[in-house]
Amino acid sequence: MKCREILAVASEYAPLSLSEAMVKTGMYDNSGLIIENDEQIKKILIALDLTTACVNYAIRGGYNLIITHHPAIYSPVTSLELTKNRPLTLAATNGIAVISMHLNLDIARRGIDYCFADGLGGKQQKILTLFQGENGYGRSFAIEKNTLESYAEKVKKVFSTDNVMIFGGRQREIKKVVSFCGAGCDIPEVRLAEKENADLIVSADMKHHVITDALDRGICVLQITHYASENYGMKVFASYIKGKLKGTEVVYFNSVGY
């Protein structure tokens, strides 16, 4: 298969039209084919980000396609550093194709936002903001009754991270959770959590004024890292690709987690 054919397979899981729908709301994205080669794809590396370590791993292992979550080119490129080992030029000069699946994979029916909530214990989830049918962002769900402190310990284990910050009473009873993968929680999302009568918001990269607003409204906050909140679901997506492309080697690249 060639990279465009593999993009079509990936798009069955997370249609690129979902990114287009998000862009229409005023967001920005650059999902799809970032670097194209004309070769048969022999081996695929999947990672959250296109880093130098990721590309070097691909070069050493003979992978000629990398699929990332975060776009390998996000803002417009005005120059390239051909003399330095930068990931984009390393991939291009070594004939490695790159596909990125960003906002479309975030909001897909079984995408990264869904997987984040699932890992947090959300077995029956309500989507807070819908885009195109059953796709959407932000999840509300009930969990087995926990204290905030004990729930945080469970989150650390599931998402393989010690970097979790707790805001609110550690012995507060938590029964209703609202979650947003990545950096998607701002003031409007706090309002959604309040409407859901949530005891806790779980997200990443939350700003000071957003956390204080949540606490002022009686909602605790558990802040996980951006990497941990999305790496979990990206591994699920990698398993899907591996299952669909049985004749092609598919490997997940774990960056240095945090």
Side-chain angles (χ1 to χ4, degrees):
M1 298 180 76
K2 295 194 174 182
C3 54
R4 285 186 178 270
E5 295 173 293
I6 292 169
L7 174 60
V9 172
S11 295
E12 291 173 6
Y13 190 93
L16 290 174
S17 60
L18 296 178
S19 283
E20 296 165 5
M22 296 286 274
V23 168
K24 287 178 182 177
T25 69
M27 300 187 73
Y28 176 76
D29 196 22
N30 188 30
S31 292
L33 191 56
I34 305 295
I35 299 175
E36 183 174 8
N37 62 25
D38 197 36
E39 303 171 1
Q40 291 293 324
I41 300 303
K42 296 171 288 188
K43 300 170 73 175
I44 301 172
L45 196 62
I46 298 181
L48 196 70
D49 300 284
L50 191 77
T51 62
T52 301
C54 174
V55 179
N56 280 328
Y57 186 95
I59 293 168
R60 290 193 301 270
Y63 298 88
N64 60 344
L65 171 62
I66 299 173
I67 301 176
T68 71
H69 176 46
H70 296 127
I73 299 175
Y74 192 67
S75 301
V77 173
T78 57
S79 63
L80 291 173
E81 298 174 278
L82 292 175
T83 59
K84 295 183 179 180
N85 290 332
R86 303 302 300 146
L88 193 65
T89 50
L90 265 181
T93 55
N94 282 277
I96 300 171
V98 178
I99 290 170
S100 297
M101 307 287 282
H102 187 214
L103 295 182
N104 56 320
L105 188 52
D106 276 336
I107 70 170
R109 190 169 64 90
R110 290 292 183 268
I112 287 176
D113 194 57
Y114 164 85
C115 292
F116 184 43
D118 186 63
L120 292 169
K123 302 309 175 187
Q124 292 184 308
Q125 304 174 15
K126 174 185 174 182
I127 301 174
L128 299 181
T129 305
L130 285 164
F131 296 92
Q132 294 188 357
E134 297 182 341
N135 308 288
Y137 186 68
R139 259 67 179 182
S140 173
F141 49 91
I143 61 167
E144 185 178 336
K145 187 166 59 176
N146 279 269
T147 64
L148 176 57
E149 187 171 48
S150 64
Y151 183 66
E153 289 303 313
K154 292 178 182 179
V155 170
K156 288 179 183 180
K157 291 178 182 177
V158 171
F159 293 92
S160 302
T161 183
D162 289 324
N163 296 315
V164 172
M165 297 178 69
I166 297 172
F167 301 89
R170 288 176 173 266
Q171 298 308 310
R172 165 85 177 269
E173 187 178 273
I174 303 299
K175 295 184 291 184
K176 186 74 172 290
V177 178
V178 162
S179 66
F180 306 90
C181 75
C185 185
D186 211 319
I187 294 296
E189 285 70 36
V190 174
R191 300 292 188 273
L192 289 174
E194 186 178 38
K195 288 180 181 178
E196 291 295 312
N197 295 313
D199 304 304
L200 177 68
I201 295 171
V202 187
S203 192
D205 302 340
M206 292 176 66
K207 296 177 181 178
H208 168 76
H209 73 278
V210 179
I211 294 170
T212 56
D213 185 67
L215 294 174
D216 194 50
R217 294 173 187 278
I219 307 170
C220 297
V221 172
L222 195 157
Q223 185 165 227
I224 192 171
T225 66
H226 195 122
Y227 180 90
S229 77
E230 298 190 330
N231 201 47
Y232 185 89
M234 196 64 180
K235 289 181 178 179
V236 174
F237 172 68
S239 295
Y240 166 83
I241 295 295
K242 189 171 184 176
K244 295 289 285 188
L245 304 177
K246 296 186 184 298
T248 305
E249 182 179 335
V250 178
V251 169
Y252 192 83
F253 178 80
N254 275 302
S255 301
V256 177
Y258 62 92

